[in-house]
Amino acid sequence: MYKIMDGKLVSASVKDRIRAEVKELNSNGHQVNLAVIIVGDDPASRVYVNNKKKACEYVGFVSEEYALPVSTSQEELLTLIGELNERRDVNGILCQLPLPPHIDDAAIIAAIAVEKDVDAFSAHNVGKIMIGDYDFVPCTPAGVMKLLSFYDIDVDGKNCVMIGRSNIVGKPMAMLMMHKNGTVTIAHSHTRNLKEITRRADIVVVAVRKVRFLTADMVKEGAVVIDVGMNRDENGKLCGDVDFDSVKEKCSYITPVPGGVGPMTIAMLMQNTLKAFYIQNP
Ligand code: GUN
């Protein structure tokens, strides 16, 4: 019998703890401020940014939104980031990706001050994750680790398979599971015999942006399956990278979409922003 890993429940407990801490900070005259930048009008990005702002409001952060037109130049965006870097009252800076094609994501990420890089996307923060000495962890992998620990799922010695090798999810996720002594395999679009690899996995994390990519025949009995996907199926219904209805029957634990990893990502953003405040105000 499978158990659902409830991201709404776990994220609510994280946000409630942060909310209590922020209340205390506010009563001592402090404010925690996250600047959120969105360029253009990508509907998915707009939904993500709205959810991030809602979470800020819930935990008691100030959230400044910079909604810039798609015509914004790279120089204009760099100027804004430079100003936000300089402001002592801004603790975190988040620039929603993807950016329009005429803007170089890497240049923008590199411009954000490392102590305000609450996404942990910069080379500095990524490097710190590699060596296992980090302040910020990218929000989605951090959220997955939190779900695993909440449900007492020990990674030590387990066969962990990460499907997907993005900088935002796959690579840092693999590192975090390795730091917890998992035996980690990173699979990707060139991997041969994927099914053979995933069928040996105790823990499978999928982040490939493909509707119902992971099917029941790819999963071993009793596995833990974490779905990072957020897709629309042929009927416009929200679904993940896992064929939930068939895969769940083989799992010990599984995350739903929606209501699994998604809410955790936002809770971890709140956690990183609070951490940024403490780093800047020791
Ligand atoms: N686009 C998709 N996921 C993310 C994220 O976690 N942070 C930012 N900044 N952009 C994203």
Side-chain angles (χ1 to χ4, degrees):
M1 190 51 198
Y2 67 91
K3 292 201 183 84
I4 296 280
M5 301 170 88
D6 185 345
K8 278 195 196 160
L9 175 91
V10 183
S11 68
S13 78
V14 172
K15 284 189 293 184
D16 282 340
R17 180 179 47 74
I18 294 171
R19 183 179 157 106
E21 261 185 70
V22 174
K23 207 168 173 192
E24 182 77 20
L25 286 171
N26 288 348
S27 68
N28 291 321
H30 298 292
Q31 280 196 320
V32 182
N33 186 340
L34 175 65
V36 180
I37 305 170
I38 176 168
V39 184
D41 45 19
D42 176 61
S45 288
R46 175 36 73 192
V47 172
Y48 291 136
V49 164
N50 286 350
N51 288 339
K52 289 170 186 179
K53 281 170 54 192
K54 247 189 260 172
C56 284
E57 207 171 294
Y58 181 78
V59 300
F61 294 168
V62 176
S63 73
E64 291 184 12
E65 179 181 299
Y66 295 88
L68 308 178
V70 70
S71 57
T72 303
S73 70
Q74 181 160 315
E75 281 59 45
E76 286 168 320
L77 187 50
L78 287 171
T79 301
L80 170 63
I81 289 171
E83 287 164 8
L84 295 171
N85 282 342
E86 289 299 315
R87 276 181 48 194
R88 285 221 49 193
D89 63 321
V90 171
N91 305 111
I93 303 170
L94 178 145
C95 185
Q96 188 66 29
L97 303 179
L99 290 163
H102 65 276
I103 299 179
D104 177 14
D105 289 8
I108 300 306
I109 289 167
I112 296 174
V114 293
E115 70 279 9
K116 299 188 180 188
D117 172 31
V118 287
D119 269 323
F121 287 172
S122 69
H124 176 89
N125 285 322
V126 171
K128 288 188 67 124
I129 292 161
M130 288 287 287
I131 60 173
D133 166 26
Y134 41 83
D135 297 312
F136 305 128
V137 185
C139 304
T140 298
V144 173
M145 295 311 287
K146 182 78 195 171
L147 275 177
L148 290 172
S149 67
F150 184 90
Y151 288 97
D152 278 328
I153 298 164
D154 195 4
V155 177
D156 200 315
K158 299 279 172 62
N159 280 334
C160 306
V161 174
M162 175 69 233
I163 313 179
R165 55 175 161 178
S166 69
N167 289 333
I168 293 182
V169 180
K171 289 181 200 169
M173 187 71 244
M175 278 298 137
L176 297 186
M177 292 193 289
M178 197 186 68
H179 291 324
K180 290 286 180 196
N181 300 320
T183 301
V184 182
T185 304
I186 305 177
H188 47 77
S189 54
H190 291 237
T191 297
R192 297 194 188 136
N193 305 324
L194 179 62
K195 195 200 293 193
E196 277 174 29
I197 294 166
T198 55
R199 281 175 68 92
R200 288 200 297 268
D202 304 302
I203 299 172
V204 187
V205 183
V206 198
V208 293
R209 295 187 183 194
K210 289 191 176 145
V211 172
R212 301 188 187 105
F213 175 82
L214 191 83
T215 46
D217 58 320
M218 299 169 79
V219 176
K220 101 170 164 185
E221 209 57 60
V224 174
V225 171
I226 311 269
D227 190 346
V228 179
M230 181 64 81
N231 314 300
R232 297 259 171 207
D233 72 7
E234 57 285 359
N235 302 315
K237 186 173 168 247
L238 214 53
C239 71
D241 294 347
V242 174
D243 184 19
F244 182 85
D245 289 337
S246 67
V247 170
K248 69 177 195 261
E249 303 300 342
K250 296 182 85 173
C251 293
S252 53
Y253 289 90
I254 186 167
T255 61
V257 175
V261 174
M264 294 306 300
T265 297
I266 294 184
M268 294 299 114
L269 174 66
M270 301 297 108
Q271 189 164 291
N272 280 347
T273 305
L274 185 58
K275 206 177 237 182
F277 171 86
Y278 286 128
I279 290 169
Q280 294 154 30
N281 299 275

